[in-house]
Amino acid sequence: MALKVTPVLLLLLASALVLLGASASQEQYERFLLQHFDAKPKGRDDRYCNNRMRYMMNEDRRRDRNPGPKVCKETNTFIHGTSDDIKAICTSHGGRNYVTRTGQAMRQSLRPFQVTTCTWHGGKPLDNCQYRATRDSRMIVVACDEHEHPVHFAESQI
């Protein structure tokens, strides 16, 4: 017996695909926020980096996003501002087109953000990774999804 494809069936399939895509996009945005967003940091010093990096790596493992071997992440940058200001980089109101040296299309912020970059300087995974903090104010570069959400932070672009 052959399956009869009707317009209703096609509409249902298309709707399911859109919902799955939106869910994946939302998950990427939430992961971006976990890895790179901290609206109101306390300290922005080495202790801040040690605590924030430990929290981020534990959350990744808890959510089964990083089931691989436990390693200390080399470097990570946290952006300080509102999530709306960071999302605005993906629009004409807060960002401009930016093309990386490798030809990747991204968005550059129109204004500088306060950032804290945490760089690994010793210790072993997972609870003993030690980080050094560097505070800065700079333009940031992000990749955006089709829903104008940032999904990747390009630390090395600026």
Side-chain angles (χ1 to χ4, degrees):
M1 179 175 151
L3 178 66
K4 185 175 180 182
V5 179
T6 65
V8 173
L9 181 59
L10 287 174
L11 182 62
L12 286 172
L13 286 171
S15 298
L17 289 174
V18 166
L19 288 174
L20 285 173
S23 175
S25 175
Q26 183 65 26
E27 187 172 319
Q28 284 182 311
Y29 174 57
E30 288 173 6
R31 184 163 194 224
F32 172 87
L33 291 176
L34 171 68
Q35 290 183 329
H36 299 293
F37 171 68
D38 190 2
K40 297 178 181 174
K42 294 196 171 40
R44 294 180 65 194
D45 56 10
D46 293 354
R47 181 183 296 166
Y48 166 81
C49 280
N50 291 333
N51 291 336
R52 195 73 175 97
M53 293 295 287
R54 185 176 302 117
Y55 172 77
M56 180 189 71
M57 290 187 292
N58 284 335
E59 276 298 299
D60 251 4
R61 283 190 182 76
R62 187 182 69 75
R63 297 177 187 192
D64 286 333
R65 290 183 177 145
N66 189 3
K70 296 177 180 179
V71 296
C72 299
K73 189 171 181 182
E74 289 286 327
T75 186
N76 194 72
T77 299
F78 294 100
I79 306 162
H80 312 304
T82 69
S83 58
D84 286 342
D85 286 343
I86 296 169
K87 274 175 52 175
I89 298 167
C90 296
T91 71
S92 60
H93 302 297
R96 67 174 136 261
N97 291 335
Y98 181 89
V99 179
T100 67
R101 284 175 241 127
T102 60
Q104 195 173 14
M106 300 193 118
R107 301 285 296 173
Q108 180 183 26
S109 63
L110 295 178
R111 69 169 187 82
F113 283 83
Q114 293 293 315
V115 298
T116 302
T117 300
C118 303
T119 307
W120 178 67
H121 78 97
K124 296 188 179 184
L126 173 64
D127 293 324
N128 198 29
C129 299
Q130 299 295 307
Y131 292 89
R132 295 257 190 245
T134 305
R135 301 185 319 182
D136 199 2
S137 175
R138 66 176 189 226
M139 305 297 213
I140 61 173
V141 175
V142 298
C144 302
D145 67 11
E146 65 276 5
H147 303 288
E148 297 184 334
H149 291 127
V151 293
H152 175 72
F153 178 68
E155 296 184 73
S156 62
Q157 297 305 317
I158 297 206

